[in-house]
Amino acid sequence: MAENPNESSDLERAPEKLGDAAYREMKERIIRGVYRPGHKLTVRAIAQDLDVSTTPARDAINRLASEGALVYAGPKTVVVPVLDAAALREITLTRLALEGLACEQAAQHGTPDNVEELKSLQRLINSALDERRYAEALWHNKEFHFAIYRLSGLPQLVSMIESLWLRIGPSLHNLYPEFAEEKYGVRNHEIAVEALAERDGASLRAAMENDIRDGYRRLKRASLEREAGQSA
């Protein structure tokens, strides 16, 4: 009896779908800073964490490694890369250009509901910072930024920004606790919310660019200190 071609194609697509799902989940975790720079991950550990078999876990790792989000340290082990000062500078310059453009475009489409969404997200960030739950603050911080960028109505631009966050996400851990204590991000975000409410593209861009620059100065200092320690 001939095989049902539809059943065959479904079976062939199933592993790919699991691999895609594993990739998306791992990508989101890296972007949101779940894993710190230098963190080691194994295929088996990722499979267990995502509740999948080793095949989709390995597929996800391979895709993320090809994008520079992970680096192989062995046949079954990957490491979240530690960015040096040069890499941080390049990523930051590109973020300023792309995220600034997204903000200018987003300001034209903001609604009162969007403003309230940002205020709600900022309350979650503030609460997490006050209680030193920095991983949670990073999780909501990503949502705050991309809630603005998605308003640009430019999905390809948002995708390019996301690829930059895939590289920088883990390093955002190095902002704390200093960034939380000084409230740099909080002030920038508050100004961004006001700018969106007023549909002021220039001010919205300036607020988010300041947010990026403030973070970069802290990350650069930490990177240079680490590099100096390694050469000593």
Side-chain angles (χ1 to χ4, degrees):
M1 180 181 295
E3 293 183 21
N4 185 325
N6 292 327
E7 290 181 359
S8 176
S9 62
D10 286 344
L11 291 173
E12 289 172 359
R13 286 197 301 266
E16 181 182 357
K17 288 183 178 179
L18 287 174
D20 288 344
Y23 165 76
R24 287 194 298 272
E25 177 64 23
M26 281 298 297
K27 180 178 180 180
E28 195 66 22
R29 292 184 182 199
I30 293 171
I31 288 174
R32 293 179 187 261
V34 172
Y35 306 113
R36 295 175 180 270
H39 185 78
K40 288 187 177 181
L41 295 161
T42 64
V43 173
R44 184 177 298 277
I46 291 175
Q48 292 177 342
D49 198 24
L50 301 183
D51 194 23
V52 297
S53 68
T54 56
T55 297
R58 188 178 294 106
D59 290 345
I61 287 174
N62 287 337
R63 290 176 65 179
L64 290 165
S66 71
E67 295 174 5
L70 298 172
V71 177
Y72 270 99
K76 297 182 180 180
T77 303
V78 289
V79 178
V80 178
V82 178
L83 300 179
D84 60 20
L88 283 170
R89 180 177 182 275
E90 181 177 5
I91 292 171
T92 299
L93 288 173
T94 312
R95 286 187 64 198
L96 288 169
L98 299 186
E99 294 178 42
L101 174 60
C103 287
E104 286 188 346
Q105 296 298 311
Q108 303 174 30
H109 308 293
T111 67
D113 286 344
N114 298 138
V115 172
E116 289 305 313
E117 177 188 6
L118 292 179
K119 288 181 178 179
S120 177
L121 287 169
Q122 190 58 44
R123 285 193 291 271
L124 293 173
I125 294 171
N126 293 347
S127 177
L129 293 177
D130 289 342
E131 298 177 17
R132 298 189 177 186
R133 291 180 279 109
Y134 301 135
E136 186 176 330
L138 285 174
W139 189 270
H140 297 308
N141 178 68
K142 186 265 183 180
E143 199 57 44
F144 182 97
H145 278 254
F146 281 81
I148 294 175
Y149 304 151
R150 285 191 293 268
L151 290 175
S152 69
L154 302 172
Q156 292 301 316
L157 177 60
V158 175
S159 179
M160 286 188 284
I161 294 171
E162 193 173 64
S163 70
L164 293 170
W165 277 63
L166 188 58
R167 299 290 310 285
I168 198 70
S171 296
L172 298 182
H173 274 287
N174 295 329
L175 294 176
Y176 301 107
E178 179 185 341
F179 214 65
E181 293 167 352
E182 296 297 331
K183 301 290 186 182
Y184 291 122
V186 173
R187 287 194 291 270
N188 292 326
H189 284 193
E190 288 173 348
I191 294 171
V193 173
E194 293 175 3
L196 184 65
E198 296 170 0
R199 296 199 168 192
D200 184 343
S203 295
L204 179 56
R205 177 169 192 155
M208 300 308 280
E209 284 183 345
N210 284 337
D211 198 48
I212 294 170
R213 289 193 181 95
D214 287 341
Y216 170 66
R217 282 190 284 269
R218 167 60 185 147
L219 295 179
K220 178 184 177 182
R221 187 163 64 250
S223 177
L224 292 174
E225 290 172 355
R226 183 182 64 253
E227 292 172 12
Q230 291 173 347
S231 61

